[in-house]
Amino acid sequence: MNRYKYFNRDLSWLEFNHRVLEEAKDKSLPLFERLKFLAIYSNNLEEFYQVRLSYYRQLITNRDAIPEKIAEVKPAKIIQQINETVTKLQVEFFHIFDREIMPELRENGIILLDKTSKLLPEQEEEVHDIFVSEIMSVLQPVLLIKKKVRPFLKSGHSYLILEMYNKDSKLSQIARRVHYGLLKLPTDHNISRFIELAPRDQKYYVMFLEDVIMRHIDKIFPGYEAQNWYSIKLTRDADLDYDDYEGDELIDLIAKLTLRRSVGAPNRFQYDRTMPNKVLKYVMESFHIHNDILVQGGSYHNLRDIFRFPNPLSPKLEIGQIKPCKHPQINDDEKIAEIVNKQDVLLNVPYQSFEYFLNFLEEAARDPFVTEIKSTQYRVAERSAVVNALMNAAERGKKVTVFVELKARFDEEANLRYAAEMKKAGINIIYSIPNLKVHAKVALILRKENDKGLKHHAYLGTGNFNEKTARIYCDHGIFTSNEDIIEDLKNMFKYLETKEPYIKFKSILVPNFNLVHRFGQLINQEIINQKNGKKGYILLKMNGLQDPHMVDMLYRASEAGVKVDLIIRGICILKPGKKYSKNIRVIRIIDRFLEHARVFVFHNDGDPKVYLGSADWMKRNLYRRVECVFPVNDDKNKQELIDILNIQLADNVKACEVGSRMENIRIINDEPLVQSQIATYEYFKEKVK
């Protein structure tokens, strides 16, 4: 029996999302930044229920699918723990929203009118006009009749359950039979969740769509009198199994993806916690809802819509934008290719602009000596400048090959649409590989020989080639002309194009070829150094740490006396504070930017080995994806990355330690206050000087 223990990955993820929720309580943040964190929390939770609950339901029916190292998993118990945890977090969410955010909105003259608010006569008229002209025609009211009328609940949509009585009945209210109505909020008809009313006396008024609707319920269910109403929402399984599909079959499947997801099995049923048991029971029987998917909520669901909460005072109450720093190695008088020909260039977004990568592609598109461009695309931005640059290159006669990962969850249809556009422009499109996702972020520029002596060039990154997320995701990338890396990338694209399994990589690390083995060597070397009286130290930054094999190696390093610092934003199954992990510290940083980079530093007796890459230490990344982890060869670039990580390790404002019970422990010490993202920005500003 394995003596090492692990956190459950999904309970660990809920603690990460709890930390996101805590940012909404931070009164040092502008009010609409706090609202944004409420929306992020809600959006995260929706995707969690769409994907992760299905895994445990499958385990209930197929115990053989439980991984050997975590065989103690009891799926039914985990589902119960998840729902209990989320129910508690929802109470905290609505406390923040109702007791903290709403009063501060009112203090700033932004008033959210609810069902208890008394409207002025002019507002009554305005709300009535909005309802009649914009809302009423798209409503589809349904009278529920148990065992006879059972409408289909769409995944992720908010509905209202109405408790009603027949107006014409001469019986007393106590004796009258209750009827139940169902109404879907029509937000899928381009109707805003938040209805803005005309400002009055320097005050701004906003209403939830459901509150506008319920003030006119007599027009929706004529002949009935609504006594009470409650909100409900069903989240369905969206984790489709399409790994075995390829080619036209996969394209056809993705074209029908929205429909397939809309009919998935129920994973969560949210209901208004004020809903009486008799109403809840009726609803559960009407829609065949089981107890194990019940999660209490507030009066409003789908609060990821808060992303679009109107701010009539904008940009007041919002966080200021930062202007990316100029890159000290890149100047306007010299082409990026000419600079990269002489030295590797490290790019750090959003502190430095993603425009440098776009310029790199555009230069290649215009360069008459460039013959070929190869790139991967995992999550394509809407109206993508990256795609435009690649299409420009194809239109100028370059051979352009793009691997488009169609199985990027929740971006499948967008990726398929952009792949079709690129194909029309003459780009050779390679689609997904069966049983593997291509998650690597690499671009390769190939040239014919020319008088300038320019080499082949590449860009390798930790984040998607997506100019929109590059404004808010902290990532690193390297422009390089290193011959070993160039040769390895040629081989990677050969593998993607031909599925050739017998490929060797000299420099980059790729799952199922050399990645796990090489990381094992690097960890073992730190253990050997420690045992030989030298310093053993490992510093890793990732989005998630979930593979038991990799965790075991870190446990063994800790037992050998190697100090391990981990900066893990999300899932972390490693348990700190145990005898076998006493030398391991895990911190988590949640701030205005999403910490997305993967950085791997091994002390190596004072000559650090530093890697960047697209791969977290999650089972899916290490065994079921095509990833690219690449060495940082330039000493200055190594030091810059280590400097950034040390700034993050010193964070005592937005960082917390992960405790032995998964809890987020805020870092309180006597050191000067360090908010790592602000300090990192200042670090890069200083470099420009």
Side-chain angles (χ1 to χ4, degrees), residues 17-47:
N17 208 32
H18 186 195
R19 177 66 190 85
V20 172
L21 181 59
E22 287 177 337
E23 280 299 281
K25 296 192 287 189
D26 185 348
K27 294 191 176 181
S28 71
L29 292 175
L31 187 54
F32 273 75
E33 185 73 0
R34 294 166 63 193
L35 273 168
K36 184 190 80 174
F37 278 107
L38 289 180
I40 293 170
Y41 164 85
S42 297
N43 190 64
N44 287 349
L45 202 56
E46 181 70 12
E47 290 190 4

Side-chain angles (χ1 to χ4, degrees), residues 373-437:
I373 300 175
K374 296 174 182 280
S375 178
T376 56
Q377 278 285 16
Y378 189 70
R379 296 192 189 277
V380 184
E382 188 178 353
R383 294 186 289 277
S384 170
V386 175
V387 169
N388 286 341
L390 295 169
M391 292 196 295
N392 288 342
E395 288 163 2
R396 289 171 180 265
K398 317 296 182 192
K399 182 182 178 183
V400 182
T401 301
V402 178
F403 187 98
V404 180
E405 181 50 80
L406 295 183
K407 294 176 289 189
R409 188 183 289 125
F410 302 121
D411 281 300
E412 301 97 337
E413 291 161 299
N415 285 3
L416 180 59
R417 185 172 65 252
Y418 277 107
E421 284 187 25
M422 287 189 280
K423 204 168 186 178
K424 283 181 185 176
I427 293 176
N428 175 38
I429 298 296
I430 311 171
Y431 291 117
S432 298
I433 298 173
N435 297 310
L436 287 173
K437 278 187 183 179

Side-chain angles (χ1 to χ4, degrees), residues 294-386:
L294 292 182
V295 176
Q296 286 185 353
S299 300
Y300 305 102
H301 301 312
N302 260 2
L303 287 172
R304 57 184 174 177
D305 290 342
I306 291 174
F307 278 123
R308 294 181 291 278
F309 193 91
N311 180 10
L313 303 174
S314 181
K316 187 182 174 186
L317 306 180
E318 296 170 5
I319 198 161
Q321 299 299 308
I322 72 160
K323 182 181 178 182
C325 299
K326 184 173 174 53
H327 199 293
Q329 290 173 269
I330 302 175
N331 58 70
D332 298 334
D333 301 327
E334 196 173 9
K335 290 182 178 178
I336 294 175
E338 292 171 350
I339 299 167
V340 175
N341 224 44
K342 297 176 282 188
Q343 60 187 320
D344 287 358
V345 176
L346 176 64
L347 182 65
N348 308 276
V349 296
Y351 306 107
Q352 296 163 335
S353 176
F354 189 69
E355 289 286 329
Y356 290 118
F357 173 68
L358 298 177
N359 293 343
F360 176 70
L361 291 181
E362 289 289 358
E363 282 181 15
R366 293 191 299 268
D367 188 337
F369 291 97
V370 168
T371 58
E372 194 168 355
I373 300 175
K374 296 174 182 280
S375 178
T376 56
Q377 278 285 16
Y378 189 70
R379 296 192 189 277
V380 184
E382 188 178 353
R383 294 186 289 277
S384 170
V386 175

Side-chain angles (χ1 to χ4, degrees), residues 143 161-174 176-181 214 216-229:
L143 194 63
I161 292 290
L162 283 69
E163 196 176 8
M164 308 183 299
Y165 298 94
N166 193 318
K167 283 182 182 178
D168 298 332
S169 174
K170 295 180 181 179
L171 296 172
S172 69
Q173 186 167 331
I174 296 174
R176 283 188 295 174
R177 185 166 71 90
V178 66
H179 298 269
Y180 295 101
M214 288 308 300
H216 301 87
I217 202 64
D218 58 318
K219 289 181 167 43
I220 303 168
F221 286 96
Y224 289 92
E225 176 186 349
Q227 294 295 311
N228 294 294
W229 61 274

Side-chain angles (χ1 to χ4, degrees), residues 124-137:
E124 291 275 12
E125 185 177 345
E126 184 181 6
V127 169
H128 176 266
D129 289 345
I130 291 171
F131 175 79
V132 171
S133 62
E134 300 177 22
I135 301 171
M136 187 167 69
S137 62

Side-chain angles (χ1 to χ4, degrees), residues 546-587:
Q546 177 256 335
D547 181 54
H549 173 67
M550 305 302 282
V551 172
D552 286 356
M553 286 197 288
L554 294 177
Y555 282 152
R556 286 195 287 272
S558 171
E559 288 178 312
V562 176
K563 183 184 175 187
V564 181
D565 277 323
L566 302 176
I567 305 170
I568 311 292
R569 173 171 56 85
I571 294 165
C572 179
I573 68 166
L574 182 147
K575 283 191 168 187
K578 301 298 179 183
K579 186 176 180 180
Y580 44 78
S581 61
K582 65 181 180 181
N583 289 307
I584 301 176
R585 175 174 61 147
V586 183
I587 73 165

Side-chain angles (χ1 to χ4, degrees), residues 53-320:
L53 266 287
S54 309
Y55 169 74
Y56 293 104
R57 297 195 190 288
Q58 291 166 13
L59 292 186
I60 289 173
T61 57
N62 183 14
R63 292 294 297 178
D64 293 336
I66 297 179
E68 195 174 311
K69 281 201 171 189
I70 49 172
E72 69 269 19
V73 166
K74 296 178 174 58
K77 184 179 179 182
I78 294 295
I79 290 174
Q80 181 184 357
Q81 287 178 294
I82 287 170
N83 289 337
E84 287 175 354
T85 300
V86 170
T87 296
K88 290 176 184 175
L89 291 179
Q90 289 297 92
V91 171
E92 186 173 344
F93 179 99
F94 283 102
H95 178 87
I96 296 168
F97 185 71
D98 293 334
R99 304 286 180 85
E100 298 183 24
I101 301 292
M102 299 313 302
E104 290 192 39
L105 282 171
R106 283 195 295 272
E107 287 173 13
N108 285 279
I110 302 171
I111 299 168
L112 185 61
L113 301 167
D114 61 20
K115 57 186 173 183
T116 65
S117 301
K118 184 170 177 57
L119 303 188
L120 297 170
E122 313 91 84
Q123 291 176 323
E124 291 275 12
E125 185 177 345
E126 184 181 6
V127 169
H128 176 266
D129 289 345
I130 291 171
F131 175 79
V132 171
S133 62
E134 300 177 22
I135 301 171
M136 187 167 69
S137 62
V138 296
L139 295 176
Q140 297 175 320
V142 176
L143 194 63
L144 291 181
I145 303 175
K146 191 166 55 177
K147 298 182 181 177
K148 291 185 180 179
V149 178
R150 182 193 172 196
F152 183 81
L153 296 180
K154 285 189 174 183
S155 181
H157 285 267
S158 287
Y159 289 80
L160 305 180
I161 292 290
L162 283 69
E163 196 176 8
M164 308 183 299
Y165 298 94
N166 193 318
K167 283 182 182 178
D168 298 332
S169 174
K170 295 180 181 179
L171 296 172
S172 69
Q173 186 167 331
I174 296 174
R176 283 188 295 174
R177 185 166 71 90
V178 66
H179 298 269
Y180 295 101
L182 177 75
L183 202 58
K184 182 172 75 68
L185 291 186
T187 49
D188 51 352
H189 289 268
N190 290 323
I191 294 176
S192 173
R193 183 73 185 282
F194 302 103
I195 307 298
E196 294 182 78
L197 305 185
R200 285 177 171 79
D201 301 324
Q202 296 185 319
K203 288 185 171 54
Y204 302 89
Y205 297 90
V206 181
M207 293 182 72
F208 271 104
L209 175 59
E210 42 264 68
D211 288 320
V212 171
I213 290 171
M214 288 308 300
R215 286 177 183 269
H216 301 87
I217 202 64
D218 58 318
K219 289 181 167 43
I220 303 168
F221 286 96
Y224 289 92
E225 176 186 349
Q227 294 295 311
N228 294 294
W229 61 274
Y230 312 96
S231 56
I232 62 169
K233 174 184 162 186
L234 190 70
T235 301
R236 296 181 180 276
D237 174 14
D239 192 23
L240 301 181
D241 184 10
Y242 40 33
D243 279 353
D244 294 331
Y245 293 85
E246 62 179 315
D248 291 340
E249 284 186 335
L250 180 61
I251 292 170
D252 289 342
L253 180 68
I254 288 172
K256 301 169 185 173
L257 207 53
T258 300
L259 176 62
R260 289 172 64 91
R261 279 188 169 136
S262 69
V263 298
N267 276 350
R268 174 180 61 162
F269 183 76
Q270 279 183 290
Y271 65 97
D272 189 331
R273 63 169 44 84
T274 65
M275 182 185 289
N277 285 334
K278 65 172 185 176
V279 180
L280 178 60
K281 183 179 178 184
Y282 188 94
V283 172
M284 290 175 66
E285 290 175 354
S286 296
F287 294 104
H288 297 186
I289 302 295
H290 298 290
N291 278 313
D292 63 348
I293 68 169
L294 292 182
V295 176
Q296 286 185 353
S299 300
Y300 305 102
H301 301 312
N302 260 2
L303 287 172
R304 57 184 174 177
D305 290 342
I306 291 174
F307 278 123
R308 294 181 291 278
F309 193 91
N311 180 10
L313 303 174
S314 181
K316 187 182 174 186
L317 306 180
E318 296 170 5
I319 198 161

